[in-house]
Each structure stands twice: as C-alpha cells, then as structure tokens.
Amino acid sequence: TRLLTRGFEWSGNSHDRALRLSALTVSGIQLAVEVLDGLDRDSGFSIGDAVANIAGTGLGFLLESNPRLDEIFDLRIRYIPSHETRRLGKVDPFDDYSGQPYLLVTKADAFPVFARHKATRYLELALGYGAVGFEPPEPAKRRTFYYGVSINLSRLLDDAVLADGHHRTAQAI
C-alpha cells in the first residue's frame, strides 16, 4: 500500500488520491489471489487470509495517512526459511509462509521521555504473529504469538550522521 502510493504520486496524483488508489489496487490484487487460491484444490479460499490482507492494507493506509502514528508504529515482515523449506533444500520467501512472521513494532524514539536518553532511544517493543504448517506438505498446524524487544536500526543509522552530513562509519574508512 505504502510503496504503491509513491508510484501513484509519481504519476501525478495527490497524496490522498494516490493513497486511496493504492489501497484499492492492493486490496483488489489480494482478493483476486485469494479467489484464485479458492479454485486450487490444495489451497482453497481462506476467509482468515482475506481478513488479514484487508487488515494489512488498512494498517498501511492508516500509517500513511497519519504521520504521528507512523512515527510510533512500524509493520514488518521477517523471513527465515522454515524447517520444511530448508529440508527440501530451497529458499522461497514468497510461498514459504511458515518462515514469515509479521511484526507490529512500537518505536521508543517516538516518545520524548525515551528519545532523550541514549539508553532507551534505540529500543523497540515488537508484537508478532506467525503460522507454521498451513501449506503442504507440512502436517502440523500451529499459530504463534510472541513479543520482544529489538533495536531500531533506522534510528541508530540516523544518529550515526555527523553535523556535516557524513556518516561516522564513512569517516572511519
């Protein structure tokens, strides 16, 4: 949703129109994929997937249209090849759903009380969801919810820029 918004802006649309067009386009594509899955005997239509697709598009729309929320939250996907994919000797980030946990991250640097202190400004609180075994040939289905603390690498890299615009790492080289 967010990436396609930039494309629609590039083609001459206002930000609001580009965002609406993007959300409609992404939702349409995701629904079409889900309908095509419904025609496949192995996959089938999943109302849960359709709802998750709409929720993801809606969250992208919400973050893109509200800069303050965008400063606070991030939606991320992580990919680590699943056990079954590794067993088959392949890497497939587009179809290996078991290796794709989703994260909703709250960035500490969005809050002045945490942003002021170097010890806390780089912290993030992450909530995650992942599903294992929902595609063949994996027999065991399992949903996992988790939480954790992570480091905000974007903030860390931004802070590595010196006043003259050069990065500390470039200066060291």
Side-chain angles (χ1 to χ4, degrees):
T1 301
R2 301 188 78 181
L3 182 61
L4 198 53
T5 297
R6 300 294 170 269
F8 281 124
E9 285 175 332
W10 175 82
S11 67
N13 292 284
S14 70
H15 179 74
D16 289 342
R17 180 170 170 75
L19 182 55
R20 286 193 309 275
L21 287 171
S22 175
L24 288 171
T25 302
V26 169
S27 295
I29 290 169
Q30 290 172 330
L31 181 60
V33 167
E34 202 54 47
V35 168
L36 290 174
D37 279 353
L39 300 174
D40 181 3
R41 289 182 190 166
D42 292 332
S43 298
F45 183 87
S46 168
I47 193 72
D49 286 357
V51 168
N53 291 340
I54 291 168
T57 301
L59 186 57
F61 185 94
L62 181 66
L63 294 176
E64 185 66 32
S65 61
N66 189 323
R68 179 62 184 144
L69 287 179
D70 193 32
E71 290 175 6
I72 298 170
F73 298 107
D74 234 351
L75 183 62
R76 300 179 188 161
I77 184 171
R78 182 186 79 185
Y79 178 67
I80 297 174
S82 67
H83 174 72
E84 185 63 24
T85 299
R86 286 191 312 267
R87 188 184 69 74
L88 296 172
K90 62 181 187 173
V91 174
D92 189 359
F94 298 104
D95 287 330
D96 182 13
Y97 300 118
S98 293
Q100 301 174 359
Y102 298 91
L103 303 165
L104 178 64
V105 176
T106 303
K107 301 175 272 189
D109 70 338
F111 303 95
V113 67
F114 297 120
R116 284 191 294 268
H117 303 287
K118 289 194 182 261
T120 57
R121 70 182 297 139
Y122 303 109
L123 296 179
E124 300 174 326
L125 178 61
L127 300 174
Y129 167 79
V132 176
F134 283 80
E135 67 273 344
E138 296 184 35
K141 296 180 179 183
R142 185 180 80 240
R143 297 176 195 273
T144 306
F145 296 92
Y146 54 94
Y147 61 91
V149 176
S150 57
I151 295 174
N152 185 337
L153 290 178
S154 296
R155 167 58 52 215
L156 190 65
L157 292 173
D158 283 348
D159 285 357
V161 177
L162 299 173
D164 64 1
H166 293 93
H167 283 82
R168 286 186 176 104
T169 52
Q171 193 177 49
I173 296 172

